[in-house]
Amino acid sequence: MRIAVAIMILWAVLTGAAFAEETATAIGDPERGQKMFKKCKSCHQLGEGAKHKVGPHLNGIFFRPAATFDDFKYSKGMYAAREAGLVWDIDGLSRFIEDPRKTVPGTKMSFHGLAKEKDRHDLLAFMRIYSDNPQNIPEAAPTAIKVEVELSPEILAIVGDPEYGEYLATECTTCHQSSGDFDGIPGIVGWPQDEFVIAMHAYKLKKRDHPVMQMMAGRLADDEIAALAAYFGDLN
Amino acid sequence: MTLNRRTFIRAGAAVAASLSAPMVLGAGKPRVVVVGGGAGGATAARYIAKGAKGAIDVTLVEPSRTYYTCFFSNLYIGGFRDIGSIAHSYGKLASDYGINVVHDWAIGIDRDAHTVSLAGGDTLAYDRLILSPGIDFVDGAVPGWDITSQNKMPHAYKAGSQTELLKAQIEAMPEGGTFAMVAPPNPYRCPPGPYERVSMVAHLLKQKNPTAKIIVADPKPKFSKMALFQEGWANHYDGMIDWIGSDFGGDAVEVNADEMTVSIDGEVTKVDACNVIPAMKAGKICEMAGITEGNWAPVNGHTMQSRIDENIHVLGDATNQGDMPKSGFSANSQAKVAAMAVRGALTGSKVFPAKFSNTCWSLINTDDGVKVGATYEATDEKIAKVDGFISQTGESGELRKQTYEESVGWYAGITSDMFG
Ligand SMILES: Cc1cc2nc3c(=O)[nH]c(=O)nc-3n(C[C@H](O)[C@H](O)[C@H](O)COP(=O)(O)OP(=O)(O)OC[C@H]3O[C@@H](n4cnc5c(N)ncnc54)[C@H](O)[C@@H]3O)c2cc1C
């Protein structure tokens, strides 16, 4: 309910008429959108204190030109899209989320897309809450801050052996391309090591459900996961 | 990559300095010959060359200039891929990895002299030999069929012109005609392959020739992912496919390629297109090298070395290794273990415990993909299964579509892992 109220407030403070119109026609159900955001959470944070992870944080995304954070390294494709004038208005976001690689050729966002328009609009209605002025961000907000799995600091502190990682990685590159390209299986190259380690443990602990990855991660020891994170993290 | 004399010498010095006394020290650069540029051989050659960075001389012997993957060749038959999309060249293995790619047949192996002789007349010396020649067919396996019948009744179990021929014959079937498949006995290349093919043929016929019939004569009582395929056939191709397992006489088959007839348990049927997939054995060169027992080449799972000659590693379909199915994924996985073992033996690089895995996707209809997979480890006795999974019947359309999309991702992954 708090979310619905926030949306009302947002509407009230909106100025540009064009945007108000767009909002009125395009935006959907933010509560459902909050659930949809699970699909983005593994890579993006949103809400108070959100930081860059695999992807940049998404606070204030609406009406920002693409690839604007200096402290995030985007793909060449995303910089090219910015040059070409891509702005994250509702239509731009919707098209990008529908088919990232078609909208921004060469993007390193490995997400296969949300085909249903309703899903996209609900999601955007939710993301919309975290745009505009900070006072409009509801207090009890943080969504993506919640870590997928709680790992002990010891596990996160393990320094991986990249040489071992290189061997272990040979098992992964049958599916995950070492170029980082996405053709149906996500790219796993150049991730921050913590993110990589958390994702692998999430599969191993069956907090993420995907039978292939649960099986692959299931037999890796903590130091092996660290070795893989070190190796793939340095690949470019 | 070309090596000038200086890097060559430096590489040699690095080898000499490494601890675990490689066997060919002082004899110049160690030489690896790989026979067969498929899922196993191309991967092994690439990984050895990539890891050794010029310290090992790698030669790949493969007669064809273009490798057509068997994987996804059924999707070509079903109309989901064109033939060009399953064709790959060896260009990058030569230009980016410095592999000496020789387009020729290996016709003999002298295990004492450590040499491979080629049909073109050359002889190649090796310190380690890798054989990944895939499969050949067992003579007389299907009464009435031999390799000279392959143009009338294609096997299409080595991809390329055979696959194109089979598809053309299916497309040329008269309205309401009959397509027959003679399925192979275990063990054979790609356990779900024949049934994915039946699905793709049904998909093609449903569009072009919806009253056509499909008969499958199978020497086995059950097959890989059977429940998933049967569910899919009932959902998408109801009444079109008649699968006759060994319990119903599917093992008593005889064909006549001139008459285009198939006899199943004494009942003769006139057919319009016929796909005969005979029983299989290791590619002939294994037999010629004297490293087979029965139809296959036994190997040690820790290193993929032949149990008969430790200077030879055998990969992929040709091997008898234990629990792994004969698949491109398996061959690729085994190649990496062999590459590590070969580099370890020849240059003293680090060797880690062998790990293997496999996943086989199959497409049943548009956006209806299923998969089965497992992980494996080496024991002294065999490559043993550790863990596995399989798609379930009754899965949502969304999940099946995602599974298909993953298989497309996998195809891009494995082919770039093989060919660079
Ligand atoms: C219809 C079909 C569908 C399939 N689908 C899948 C799938 O979805 N997923 C999967 O993982 N696997 C699949 N497979 C199985 C996969 O194709 C094989 O398991 C894999 O190719 C085996 O690799 P290999 O290296 O042993 O042999 P191959 O890939 O067959 O390579 C052998 C190579 O050796 C060469 N050669 C043979 N003899 C000699 C010689 N004397 N001298 C020089 N060169 C020689 C041949 O020309 C060939 O290029 C499928 C197979 C079929 C038939």
Side-chain angles (χ1 to χ4, degrees):
Chain A
M1 271 307 95
R2 199 179 281 137
I3 290 169
V5 173
I7 284 279
M8 307 275 285
I9 297 170
L10 275 176
W11 277 356
V13 298
L14 287 174
T15 42
F19 177 58
E21 232 172 72
E22 216 178 335
T23 310
T25 54
I27 239 155
D29 170 4
E31 289 200 27
R32 194 166 166 274
Q34 181 166 22
K35 296 204 187 86
M36 307 295 312
F37 193 73
K38 285 203 185 116
K39 296 191 186 276
C40 326
K41 259 177 151 173
S42 52
C43 304
H44 293 288
Q45 293 195 345
L46 183 63
E48 227 177 302
K51 292 198 201 60
H52 301 323
K53 290 289 168 182
V54 176
H57 78 70
L58 296 176
N59 286 348
I61 187 76
F62 279 77
F63 295 102
R64 229 179 42 212
T68 37
F69 290 120
D70 290 338
D71 54 346
F72 183 85
K73 196 170 171 295
Y74 294 90
S75 63
K76 287 201 192 83
M78 192 59 84
Y79 288 121
R82 181 178 69 181
E83 291 296 300
L86 178 64
V87 173
W88 296 128
D89 54 15
I90 289 180
D91 179 54
L93 282 169
S94 181
R95 279 188 298 125
F96 182 59
I97 297 166
E98 178 178 12
D99 192 342
R101 290 195 306 153
K102 199 168 137 209
T103 312
V104 179
T107 182
K108 64 174 181 176
M109 169 156 140
S110 29
F111 177 71
H112 48 75
L114 285 180
K116 293 198 191 99
E117 187 170 54
K118 176 162 173 21
D119 291 351
R120 297 197 299 277
H121 287 175
D122 291 348
L123 175 62
L124 290 177
F126 172 68
M127 288 167 59
R128 180 72 190 77
I129 298 170
Y130 303 94
S131 272
D132 280 318
N133 302 322
Q135 67 261 33
N136 289 328
I137 295 179
E139 277 163 36
T143 52
I145 316 287
K146 197 168 138 270
V147 196
E148 281 187 272
V149 282
E150 289 293 348
L151 296 178
S152 70
E154 290 81 49
I155 291 185
L156 288 169
I158 299 173
V159 179
D161 168 3
E163 201 185 343
Y164 189 26
E166 180 172 7
Y167 168 64
L168 293 171
T170 62
E171 219 183 1
C172 321
T173 51
T174 310
C175 292
H176 297 282
Q177 296 177 56
S178 53
S179 60
D181 285 355
F182 170 79
D183 285 289
I185 290 183
I188 56 170
V189 168
W191 283 30
Q193 296 200 11
D194 280 7
E195 298 305 308
F196 193 99
V197 169
I198 289 171
M200 292 303 284
H201 281 277
Y203 287 117
K204 184 173 170 168
L205 298 167
K206 305 206 188 302
K207 293 271 160 70
R208 280 197 189 189
D209 34 48
H210 192 279
V212 172
M213 283 308 303
Q214 287 182 348
M215 177 182 83
M216 297 306 298
R219 69 159 164 176
L220 294 170
D222 295 348
D223 66 315
E224 293 177 318
I225 290 178
L228 283 160
Y231 173 75
F232 279 115
D234 283 345
L235 262 192
N236 216 337
Chain B
M1 193 185 76
T2 50
L3 281 178
N4 61 31
R5 208 178 134 68
R6 184 172 304 150
T7 44
F8 180 40
I9 291 168
R10 226 189 298 125
V15 171
S18 72
L19 19 152
S20 55
M23 43 193 285
V24 288
L25 268 190
K29 245 206 275 190
R31 294 151 306 182
V32 171
V33 174
V34 181
V35 172
T43 309
R46 177 168 169 269
Y47 271 86
I48 293 171
K50 184 161 89 91
K53 299 189 177 68
I56 296 177
D57 197 51
V58 183
T59 302
L60 176 63
V61 183
E62 162 61 52
S64 307
R65 282 173 195 276
T66 305
Y67 178 78
Y68 290 92
T69 58
C70 278
F71 25 109
F72 277 25
S73 66
N74 287 331
L75 274 62
Y76 158 73
I77 292 176
F80 294 90
R81 304 284 283 210
D82 58 44
I83 195 81
S85 77
I86 61 166
H88 302 270
S89 90
Y90 295 93
K92 278 199 195 159
L93 291 184
S95 65
D96 296 5
Y97 297 92
I99 296 165
N100 178 22
V101 181
V102 177
H103 291 296
D104 205 343
W105 286 96
I107 51 164
I109 287 163
D110 184 333
R111 292 204 272 124
D112 297 324
H114 288 197
T115 56
V116 178
S117 47
L118 304 184
D122 285 349
T123 301
L124 300 171
Y126 65 82
D127 296 303
R128 284 290 167 109
L129 173 64
I130 295 183
L131 296 181
S132 192
I135 51 108
D136 273 304
F137 300 111
V138 174
D139 290 335
V142 175
W145 193 94
D146 64 28
I147 203 73
T148 63
S149 325
Q150 69 172 352
N151 289 340
K152 288 182 176 139
M153 294 188 169
H155 52 79
Y157 236 61
K158 297 182 183 183
S161 56
Q162 273 280 304
T163 325
E164 289 180 289
L165 181 63
L166 181 63
K167 181 170 183 174
Q169 291 175 354
I170 296 166
E171 283 178 326
M173 279 167 52
E175 203 183 315
T178 301
F179 166 83
M181 171 190 280
V182 178
N186 291 322
Y188 60 96
R189 144 177 292 186
C190 194
Y195 312 98
E196 178 185 60
R197 177 169 292 166
V198 166
S199 311
M200 291 294 98
V201 171
H203 177 81
L204 180 70
L205 289 173
K206 199 170 169 187
Q207 289 163 12
K208 308 213 165 181
N209 191 349
T211 54
K213 292 266 168 257
I214 297 175
I215 308 174
V216 186
D218 206 321
K220 308 180 288 297
K222 57 185 175 42
F223 57 84
S224 168
K225 303 188 207 170
M226 183 158 169
L228 293 166
F229 280 113
Q230 290 191 327
E231 174 195 50
W233 293 349
N235 285 345
H236 307 299
Y237 315 116
D238 194 22
M240 201 174 198
I241 301 166
D242 189 7
W243 178 79
I244 305 168
S246 57
D247 296 342
F248 303 92
D251 53 346
V253 175
E254 201 175 326
V255 299
N256 185 324
D258 294 323
E259 306 284 324
M260 283 304 283
T261 56
V262 175
S263 150
I264 303 173
D265 207 15
E267 192 181 320
V268 178
T269 307
K270 179 102 183 83
V271 298
D272 301 292
C274 186
N275 178 202
V276 176
I277 311 175
M280 296 170 206
K281 60 179 184 183
K284 282 192 199 82
I285 193 74
C286 292
E287 216 173 302
M288 288 153 76
I291 55 157
T292 50
E293 273 171 11
N295 284 337
W296 311 100
V299 292
N300 169 348
H302 295 292
T303 57
M304 300 307 294
Q305 274 163 303
S306 157
R307 291 206 189 262
I308 293 163
D309 183 335
E310 61 179 20
N311 293 313
I312 303 182
H313 298 246
V314 193
L315 305 176
D317 292 355
T319 59
N320 173 5
Q321 33 69 22
D323 296 347
M324 294 183 83
K326 298 186 187 299
S327 73
F329 201 125
S330 298
N332 170 270
S333 175
Q334 293 160 8
K336 292 161 186 173
V337 169
M340 174 180 63
V342 165
R343 283 178 50 219
L346 298 182
T347 66
S349 67
K350 252 197 207 168
V351 176
F352 301 101
K355 276 193 159 119
F356 304 92
S357 51
N358 175 61
T359 296
C360 281
W361 284 267
S362 304
L363 187 62
I364 300 177
N365 191 17
T366 311
D367 289 336
D368 191 359
V370 292
K371 63 188 170 197
V372 57
T375 51
Y376 306 84
E377 65 187 8
T379 67
D380 291 342
E381 181 205 343
K382 64 172 184 177
I383 298 181
K385 180 169 164 178
V386 178
D387 187 14
F389 69 86
I390 183 164
S391 296
Q392 303 298 307
T393 51
E395 285 172 346
S396 72
E398 200 182 331
L399 181 56
R400 290 294 176 86
K401 178 166 190 265
Q402 197 182 321
T403 301
Y404 168 63
E405 284 167 358
E406 263 168 49
S407 74
V408 175
W410 163 77
Y411 186 87
I414 190 171
T415 50
S416 65
D417 206 38
M418 289 163 63
F419 298 106

